[in-house]
Amino acid sequence: MKKILGLILAFFCVFEVFAGDGLVFRDSPFEISAKTDGALLSAGVLLSGGDLILDNLLKVNRKTFDEDKNFDKSSVNAFDRFFMQDYNAGLNKIGGNAFLCSALAMPASVFCAVEKSEWKTVALMYAETLLIANGLKEFTKLAVTRYRPMCYFETGDSFSKYKDDGDFANSFISGHSTMAFAGASFAGYVFSEYFPESPWRYAVYAGGFSLAAATAAVRVMSGNHFVSDVAAGAAVGALTGFLVPRLHLKKNSVSDGGSAGGSVAGSSGSGGSVGKKADRKGQGSFFILPCGFFARVDF
């Protein structure tokens, strides 16, 4: 279901790309184009859509759990074996909540910070980031068979849902870590480009990567993944979250925000001051959204 929703989102993004010049924002550090976004969206749809077909329909590399199989812990490399844990349903839920905060709340903070006219640009870039990151991690799971740490413990039916759908053999790479780090990297980079002089850019980076790291740690502690699984997922996600918006950066973008004036025109008195500070140096208020809590600060 999540993959289908992702493809539906991609469809609307494609429509926005070819909708016309209304999506090219003069004062934005980023720009969208049919060439760049067409290539990125095509890659994302092919990756995520291809996985949907190969995994859900054709059931490629779908394993059947063998109750008689002997899972020998000594077959796991020493580093991963040292940290491997049995399945923990409670920690599994905590990891899911941390993942949602990192993948959704932190990027949402960027929407609250930028002008409304930038929402479509940010949404398009993040949709591309999610589609590509999701496709990369899903294709890796299809190509690599690795049993989850929980399989090496005698837990009975505690992870029966993994046995039923074959997910017990999809440990590499960690999907939660991939998407969490993609969201953290995207939020930090995009916010820093919009507001290069704002001290809050450090908070966005720190908040996002802290939540992403917590997600990765809990995925290990809950018995879902090995440390190498989450490390690989973090690398793929962080790189995707950086490269996608980076490819949208205007070639003549000025990092100090000294380009054309902002969209808020100063009139007189304090209004004139606001007008001068507009554009990429920031205006209005920024809402930090870690774990669903709102804190309003001005910058």
Side-chain angles (χ1 to χ4, degrees):
M1 183 63 181
K2 294 180 180 179
K3 298 175 183 177
I4 295 176
L5 290 176
L7 292 177
I8 294 175
L9 175 61
F11 169 79
F12 285 105
C13 290
V14 172
F15 171 80
E16 295 288 1
V17 171
F18 297 99
D21 295 336
L23 292 181
V24 180
F25 300 96
R26 185 182 309 169
D27 295 329
S28 172
F30 302 103
E31 62 182 355
I32 60 177
S33 67
K35 181 179 180 180
T36 300
D37 293 287
L40 290 173
L41 282 171
S42 295
V45 171
L46 286 175
L47 287 170
S48 290
D51 167 69
L52 180 65
I53 296 174
L54 294 174
D55 186 21
N56 292 32
L57 299 180
L58 301 181
K59 301 186 184 303
V60 173
N61 200 27
R62 182 68 64 87
K63 302 295 183 182
T64 300
F65 190 82
D66 184 2
E67 297 289 350
D68 297 323
K69 181 177 176 61
N70 180 30
F71 292 94
D72 185 7
K73 293 182 180 179
S74 63
S75 63
V76 180
N77 67 79
F79 177 74
D80 282 329
R81 185 169 65 248
F82 180 79
F83 293 100
M84 64 189 296
Q85 299 290 327
D86 194 2
Y87 180 71
N88 186 306
L91 288 176
N92 185 52
K93 292 181 179 180
I94 294 175
N97 292 330
F99 157 72
L100 290 176
C101 289
S102 180
L104 299 179
M106 292 311 299
S109 67
V110 178
F111 282 87
C112 296
V114 301
E115 297 177 9
K116 187 175 181 180
S117 61
E118 296 296 292
W119 288 0
K120 289 183 179 179
T121 300
V122 176
L124 177 60
M125 292 192 298
Y126 193 48
E128 293 166 350
T129 298
L130 292 181
L131 285 170
I132 293 175
N134 177 72
L136 289 174
K137 60 98 171 173
E138 289 295 340
F139 262 92
T140 303
K141 286 178 177 290
L142 285 177
V144 179
T145 297
R146 190 182 197 188
Y147 297 103
R148 295 179 183 273
M150 63 183 73
C151 296
Y152 295 85
F153 296 85
E154 295 181 2
T155 55
D157 297 325
S158 63
F159 59 99
S160 58
K161 69 184 184 70
Y162 290 96
K163 298 178 182 179
D164 297 336
D165 61 10
D167 199 37
F168 65 90
N170 294 332
S171 186
F172 189 84
I173 55 179
S174 170
H176 282 70
S177 298
T178 300
M179 305 308 286
F181 275 88
S185 179
F186 177 89
Y189 180 75
V190 172
F191 186 88
S192 295
E193 284 298 326
Y194 274 113
F195 311 107
E197 296 182 4
S198 171
W200 289 104
R201 66 187 187 279
Y202 302 114
V204 176
Y205 267 120
F209 280 109
S210 293
L211 287 170
T215 299
V218 175
R219 294 300 286 174
V220 173
M221 295 167 62
S222 63
N224 281 281
H225 289 288
F226 295 101
V227 173
S228 57
D229 298 335
V230 299
V236 171
L239 189 61
T240 304
F242 166 75
L243 286 179
V244 170
R246 176 71 179 179
L247 291 173
H248 290 82
L249 199 62
K250 290 180 178 178
K251 294 181 180 180
N252 61 345
S253 179
V254 182
S255 61
D256 62 0
S259 56
S263 59
V264 178
S267 56
S268 63
S270 60
S273 175
V274 173
K276 293 179 181 178
K277 292 182 179 179
D279 198 15
R280 295 175 59 197
K281 291 186 178 180
Q283 63 183 59
S285 299
F286 167 45
F287 294 79
I288 304 176
L289 299 167
C291 302
F293 293 97
F294 292 74
R296 180 166 181 159
V297 293
D298 295 319
F299 53 92

